[in-house]
Amino acid sequence: MSLKIFINGRLYDKEDAKISVYDHGLLYGDGVFEGLRSYGGKVFRLDEHLDRLYDSAKAIWLEIPLTKKAMADAVKQTLQVNGLVDAYIRLVVTRGAGSLGLDPNRTSDPQVIIIADKIQLYPPELYEKGLEIITASTQRNHPAALNARIKSLNYLNNILAKIEGLQAGCIEALMLNHKGEVAECTGDNIFLVHKGVISTPPTDAGILAGVTRQAVIDLAEQAGITVRQVPLTRHDVYVADECFLTGTAAEVIPVVKVDQRLIGSGEPGPISRKLQARFHELANS
Ligand code: PMP
């Protein structure tokens, strides 16, 4: 049976789920999106993802033609109709079709698209062994140019860094911000552990305010571990005892090598492991 895709209130077979080539989402990357996951049929932090989606839309002056409640129902409906319990959900809102030219006033009908499917971001063994990453030379977007807090359809900044990683044999890459500070990875937030204290860049470091990031901060604090949101340098990464990444698709994944330097002992550390386990408990609760 073909997957059913939600577009503007209707469900289409995957093969028939199509939008206009004049959509400014395609022509200019003009639109916003979210990636969500459901565990056991329940969407993890649905409200937080919807808040971020509507904030992203507001920031780009795009009015989403559905209330948050209707959007939440549409997400649940798309999961149900596809019989999906553990799934990855992609929610996209485009500017809509218009004439050629950037002007958003010359578009109409923003397209609301919901895809519910499976995702396997990283091979399962890497969750046990840990990832090796490099620092990309591509800088994270300057917040005054395109704020990374907007989850926009324009992901080329991240894709360019991802290509650098892939060409170096790494499936994730670290990005620095315009000040040379640690920002985030191409699709994940980054955490360090040093002498039992966790640190992660603050949201004003030019990063996406990750939903998983916040969930992990809460879990760490509940476990009595101090979490500091402070500017970090590459040096902090190299001398960390542990490093791990968080993201909806990635969940919690340890990093054991950065730019050819072993992190700590070169094995996933105890705090990373503990938070990985706690995150799974939370998501599946
Ligand atoms: N940073 C970037 C650039 C992302 O695209 C994502 C989402 N894939 C994240 C961080 C993680 O955010 P979340 O935990 O909300 O998925």
Side-chain angles (χ1 to χ4, degrees), residues 147-160:
N147 198 314
R149 294 190 65 174
I150 302 172
K151 203 164 167 62
S152 85
L153 290 182
N154 198 319
Y155 247 53
L156 267 181
N157 178 226
N158 312 56
I159 292 166
L160 289 174

Side-chain angles (χ1 to χ4, degrees), residues 14-84:
K14 184 177 170 180
E15 299 71 32
D16 302 322
K18 293 176 182 149
I19 64 164
S20 168
V21 293
Y22 282 86
D23 194 302
H24 282 205
L26 172 70
L27 290 176
Y28 304 115
D30 188 354
V32 293
F33 78 103
E34 274 300 315
L36 308 87
R37 254 187 204 266
S38 70
Y39 296 88
K42 190 164 158 248
V43 182
F44 183 71
R45 304 262 155 126
L46 177 56
D47 291 346
E48 284 85 340
H49 281 286
L50 291 183
D51 285 347
R52 191 170 66 187
L53 180 77
Y54 281 72
D55 286 350
S56 293
K58 188 171 190 189
I60 70 160
W61 194 47
L62 169 64
E63 204 168 315
I64 299 180
L66 283 182
T67 62
K68 279 189 197 173
K69 166 80 173 64
M71 188 70 91
D73 290 344
V75 168
K76 291 174 195 162
Q77 181 198 6
T78 309
L79 274 175
Q80 267 162 15
V81 80
N82 286 297
L84 287 162

